[in-house]
Amino acid sequence: MKMQSTDRITDMKRRMKDIYLSVSWREISRTYFDKSVPWFQHKMYGIDGNGGVGGFSEEEARQLKGALIDLSDRIRKAADNIPVTNDISVI
């Protein structure tokens, strides 16, 4: 579903519920967005800095998706560096 330019994803925290407590959102905000933690948290909670409706624009959502894909690739590479006798591909 294509978002309209004025549409915002205001429920990103809910969408990230499976990983929300496992990810350093501080590092995501700084490394991939070059923004402050409060700015990013407002986006995640779907509010703007004044308490109104905010959220992620389509471009910001695309940027977050890319950040999570990059992070998952980096985690996989780190896991691949762990030597084990019987390699496990799926836990």
Side-chain angles (χ1 to χ4, degrees), residues 23-33 40 64 67 71:
V23 172
S24 172
W25 299 106
R26 176 181 59 87
E27 289 302 317
I28 297 283
S29 68
R30 291 179 178 171
T31 303
Y32 296 96
F33 287 89
F40 191 80
L64 178 57
L71 182 58

Side-chain angles (χ1 to χ4, degrees), residues 8-14 20 36-57 60:
R8 295 274 203 209
I9 298 174
T10 59
D11 64 342
M12 193 65 80
K13 184 179 179 207
R14 181 189 61 78
Y20 191 77
S36 69
V37 175
W39 176 88
F40 191 80
Q41 287 299 323
H42 286 147
K43 294 287 183 178
M44 290 296 280
Y45 283 90
I47 59 174
D48 67 14
N50 299 315
V53 176
F56 285 84
S57 67
E60 292 163 340

Side-chain angles (χ1 to χ4, degrees), residues 4-21:
Q4 299 293 323
S5 60
T6 57
D7 288 345
R8 295 274 203 209
I9 298 174
T10 59
D11 64 342
M12 193 65 80
K13 184 179 179 207
R14 181 189 61 78
R15 293 170 189 244
M16 299 294 113
K17 69 182 176 189
D18 188 45
I19 63 167
Y20 191 77
L21 296 177

Side-chain angles (χ1 to χ4, degrees), residues 45-82:
Y45 283 90
I47 59 174
D48 67 14
N50 299 315
V53 176
F56 285 84
S57 67
E58 182 174 5
E59 181 180 335
E60 292 163 340
R62 189 176 298 114
Q63 191 172 355
L64 178 57
K65 183 175 182 172
L68 292 173
I69 290 169
D70 180 61
L71 182 58
S72 70
D73 290 343
R74 290 170 45 213
I75 291 170
R76 173 63 68 184
K77 286 177 187 174
D80 289 343
N81 285 327
I82 300 172

